[in-house]
Amino acid sequence: MKILVAVKRVIDYNVKVRVKADKTDVDLSNVKMAMNPFCEIAVEEAVRLKEKGIADEIVVVSIGSKACQEQIRTALALGADRGIQIETQESPDSLSVAKLLAKVVEEEQPGLVILGKQAIDSDNNQTGQMLAALLDRPQATFASEVVVDGDKVKVTREIDGGLQTIELDLPAVITTDLRLNEPRYASLPNIMKAKKKPLDVKTAEELGVVVKSGITLLGVEPPAERQAGIKVSSVAELVDKLKNEAKVVS
Amino acid sequence: MSILVIAEHDNQVLKPVTLTTVAAATQVGGDVDVLVIGSGCQGVAEQAANIAGVSRVRVADHADYTHQLAENTSKLVVSVAQGYTHIFAPATTTGKNMLPRVAALLDVNQLSDISAVVSADTFKRSIYAGNAVATVQSCDAVKVATVRGTAFDAVAAEGGSATIEAVGEAIASQRSRFVGEELAVSDRPELTAASIVVSGGRGMGNGDNFNILYALADKLGAAVGASRAAVDAGFVPNDMQVGQTGKMVAPDLYIAVGISGAIQHLAGMKDSKVIVAINKDEDAPIFQVADYGLVADLFDVIPELEAAL
């Protein structure tokens, strides 16, 4: 089975973003970028399925400017076999990404598409679901366990009340939750080898998708600042403050 | 303006987050209809009909919708979407699972987790783990959005008198099947709706030590949450996780115990009215957002706090 994994280049998760002074957007100049943590988990899961003999090829796709080839190389170093970069302007919207991925899926015919459940920049949590809808394929979102059995896959999902298990017929789309696995680190020899792995570049036009958005970003503002609080020295003082000053406990 | 709100329920009880989603819809203005999708959910439809400000309740009641799988429920929503300018669902795992499929089938984008209604086509939402608030305008024919429950005040659950009508054909989910579920059982209030939340982090040390938080929570009538570190370490189940990738809470009082305050955790709780931090590391980032901080060993002060209340 072929597995397709979509990865996104985003700001490193440890970086605290700042809003630009003119409040048009967040300031991404000179900040550290990395692979979206949920995408790393998706790559890891695909590699594990290959190690189990379930997958025979892993194709990794990223959409954006040339810079995202860095994240494709990272995925190749982690064990993916080849990469595809789809050249577009920076950060197209989820629907455009889903349409581009749908074209790649039609070409590649993977048995499984694995994506992260959300990107930590836009926090949308949409692409996997939209892709599944466009392909009319079943989906398992927020996966914390994936068991492939023949032409079916059993997925445990993290839902609000606990866990839910569903079974899908392949081909299917899965989005990863944090607890699915612990991604490995790429070793130096694997990073060197990854440089030789094939990486195709396509454009949105070649795939016949018009990247546009029905959504316009009007502005960005920093979140409301919290007033600096005080340190109390004892439990008694804390209880007194909560009862008499904040009045949140009676 | 005509808005369809998708109800959150478990086939028995309408979940309170439906009321906050209706509140967001009411701010858009116009007729608000509620769609109940489920099986044996007539009781839920009646509860929905009582919600203040709802004009119609539309019910798709069929065994195929028992577990609200995304594949068939999204098609059902599209089949009843005709005529609506807005389709809203709560930003719960059910809403997040299904609504992007609806948007894609309608060939429109989706706005995720909106926290304010500026106008009928302009909304606010948090990005970058809550470190920026974006104002976005949609020119799509239908505005499809999930609504952050903690950002709106619930409308009254009583006082409405909406009509109830059956809609939609049964659509079977052929290539996706429900196998089973494991739901956490708790007598404490629901995390996202509780007025007080007590949360523990890695500093709790192990799962058994959470018992002192449970005792404190029961004294306060509070829900118990956790940081990702506590969940990953296996101290507590994942449905207790508060943060960017867990639940968003905004209680009157949030007590963070043994939690350092990583960006991802703060994303889920920094809209709380009053934040208390108890941590023995006085440099922990949590103290930068806490209204009241106590630098002390949690194992000394939590039992003391419980006794003092």
Side-chain angles (χ1 to χ4, degrees):
Chain A
M1 177 171 73
K2 189 192 282 185
I3 298 183
L4 189 79
V5 182
V7 300
K8 185 176 182 185
R9 175 183 170 89
V10 298
I11 191 166
D12 184 89
Y13 73 98
N14 280 310
V15 175
K16 191 167 178 197
V17 296
R18 259 181 267 277
V19 173
K20 283 183 186 168
D22 63 4
K23 296 193 174 169
T24 51
D25 205 342
V26 294
D27 191 356
L28 292 184
S29 51
N30 300 318
V31 298
K32 189 181 170 199
M33 303 295 278
M35 192 192 297
N36 180 44
F38 291 98
C39 302
E40 279 185 61
I41 294 169
V43 172
E44 176 66 29
E45 195 64 17
V47 173
R48 289 187 189 190
L49 288 169
K50 194 179 174 191
E51 286 167 349
K52 283 183 199 155
I54 291 165
D56 43 39
E57 189 185 24
I58 301 170
V59 182
V60 55
V61 189
S62 193
I63 297 168
S65 67
K66 191 158 191 267
C68 72
Q69 288 191 6
E70 197 185 318
Q71 277 61 48
I72 296 175
R73 291 286 173 204
T74 305
L76 295 174
L78 291 169
D81 297 292
R82 62 186 169 91
I84 302 171
Q85 181 221 341
I86 301 171
E87 177 81 31
T88 64
Q89 92 251 10
E90 276 309 317
S91 48
D93 62 9
S94 306
L95 186 62
S96 300
V97 169
K99 285 179 178 175
L100 289 165
L101 291 175
K103 293 287 180 191
V104 177
V105 168
E106 280 164 18
E107 278 178 16
E108 299 281 343
Q109 292 295 324
L112 208 51
V113 185
I114 311 181
L115 306 88
K117 77 164 179 181
Q118 77 190 65
I120 58 162
D121 51 359
S122 56
D123 281 336
N124 273 326
N125 197 332
Q126 301 172 356
T127 307
Q129 295 90 313
M130 288 182 159
L131 175 65
L134 296 175
L135 296 167
D136 196 23
R137 287 189 182 179
Q139 72 182 40
T141 50
F142 330 137
S144 59
E145 198 187 354
V146 173
V147 182
V148 177
D149 181 13
D151 59 353
K152 292 181 171 41
V153 58
K154 206 176 264 188
V155 182
T156 303
R157 306 176 53 229
E158 300 202 356
I159 59 167
D160 283 333
L163 298 171
Q164 181 193 64
T165 305
I166 57 173
E167 186 186 67
L168 312 177
D169 295 341
L170 296 173
V173 177
I174 293 175
T175 73
T176 63
D177 216 317
L178 282 169
R179 271 163 291 280
L180 182 59
N181 59 47
E182 196 136 324
R184 69 193 67 188
Y185 291 99
S187 65
L188 189 59
N190 285 342
I191 293 171
M192 300 313 286
K193 271 187 234 162
K195 291 185 177 171
K196 298 204 178 72
K197 290 186 179 177
L199 199 167
D200 288 341
V201 179
K202 296 180 191 221
T203 62
E205 293 75 39
E206 276 168 37
L207 292 169
V209 175
V210 181
V211 178
K212 58 172 170 55
S213 181
I215 291 173
T216 315
L217 181 66
L218 297 181
V220 167
E221 56 200 303
E225 286 287 324
R226 289 192 75 93
Q227 293 289 325
I230 55 159
K231 291 237 172 95
V232 294
S233 56
S234 69
V235 169
E237 191 186 346
L238 176 62
V239 172
D240 175 64
K241 295 280 188 196
L242 289 178
K243 280 185 175 166
N244 302 318
E245 198 176 276
K247 295 187 171 54
V248 283
V249 293
S250 49
Chain B
M1 252 20 101
S2 181
I3 306 146
L4 185 67
V5 170
I6 297 163
E8 176 89 7
H9 65 92
D10 59 3
N11 291 323
Q12 313 288 322
V13 181
L14 186 76
K15 295 288 166 71
V17 68
T18 312
L19 303 175
T20 46
T21 309
V22 169
T26 310
Q27 288 187 15
V28 174
D31 289 335
V32 179
D33 291 357
V34 173
L35 175 63
V36 178
I37 311 167
S39 166
C41 55
Q42 205 56 37
V44 176
E46 282 159 24
Q47 293 161 42
N50 285 332
I51 301 174
V54 173
S55 331
R56 276 193 301 178
V57 174
R58 315 185 75 186
V59 193
D61 189 337
H62 195 276
D64 286 335
Y65 302 132
T66 308
H67 301 289
Q68 296 172 44
L69 296 174
E71 291 78 6
N72 57 347
T73 54
S74 56
K75 288 180 184 166
L76 171 81
V77 174
V78 171
S79 78
V80 301
Q82 192 68 38
Y84 289 103
T85 54
H86 297 68
I87 301 174
F88 285 0
T92 56
T93 50
T94 314
K96 289 175 183 171
N97 188 41
M98 183 254 276
L99 209 63
R101 269 190 102 108
V102 172
L105 293 174
L106 293 171
D107 196 30
V108 298
N109 256 292
Q110 187 207 253
L111 296 163
S112 294
D113 223 6
I114 58 167
S115 55
V117 176
V118 178
S119 71
D121 65 0
T122 306
F123 305 90
K124 291 192 181 198
R125 56 179 302 265
S126 289
I127 51 175
Y128 293 89
N131 285 304
V133 180
T135 304
V136 285
Q137 185 173 37
S138 165
C139 64
D140 283 324
V142 189
K143 278 75 174 162
V144 177
T146 57
V147 176
R148 178 175 290 190
T150 55
F152 295 89
D153 292 327
V155 296
E158 301 291 330
S161 56
T163 55
I164 300 179
E165 63 178 46
V167 289
E169 297 289 311
I171 303 169
S173 180
Q174 291 159 338
R175 285 173 291 153
S176 166
R177 287 164 297 278
F178 174 83
V179 176
E181 60 190 2
E182 242 177 275
L183 300 180
V185 192
S186 171
D187 298 334
R188 296 187 188 89
E190 201 201 346
L191 193 53
T192 51
S195 58
I196 303 179
V197 173
V198 180
S199 278
R202 198 194 297 276
M204 297 304 296
N206 61 48
D208 289 340
N209 289 339
F210 261 76
N211 286 328
I212 61 172
L213 290 193
Y214 296 141
L216 175 63
D218 290 342
K219 199 73 167 272
L220 290 163
V224 178
S227 69
R228 185 187 160 198
V231 174
D232 281 352
F235 299 173
V236 292
N238 65 273
D239 56 295
M240 286 169 62
Q241 185 181 321
V242 171
Q244 183 185 20
T245 60
K247 292 189 171 128
M248 301 285 169
V249 301
D252 293 336
L253 173 60
Y254 188 89
I255 305 179
V257 182
I259 292 175
S260 64
I263 294 173
Q264 294 80 8
H265 185 74
L266 299 182
M269 45 65 80
K270 67 186 164 123
D271 293 328
S272 305
K273 212 170 278 170
V274 175
I275 297 173
V276 170
I278 297 172
N279 203 305
K280 63 182 173 190
D281 173 11
E282 63 176 317
D283 297 323
I286 191 78
F287 287 119
Q288 292 161 20
V289 299
D291 299 281
Y292 304 109
L294 179 56
V295 181
D297 188 330
L298 67 96
F299 296 106
D300 296 335
V301 297
I302 297 299
E304 197 184 332
L305 179 59
E306 190 212 330
L309 288 165

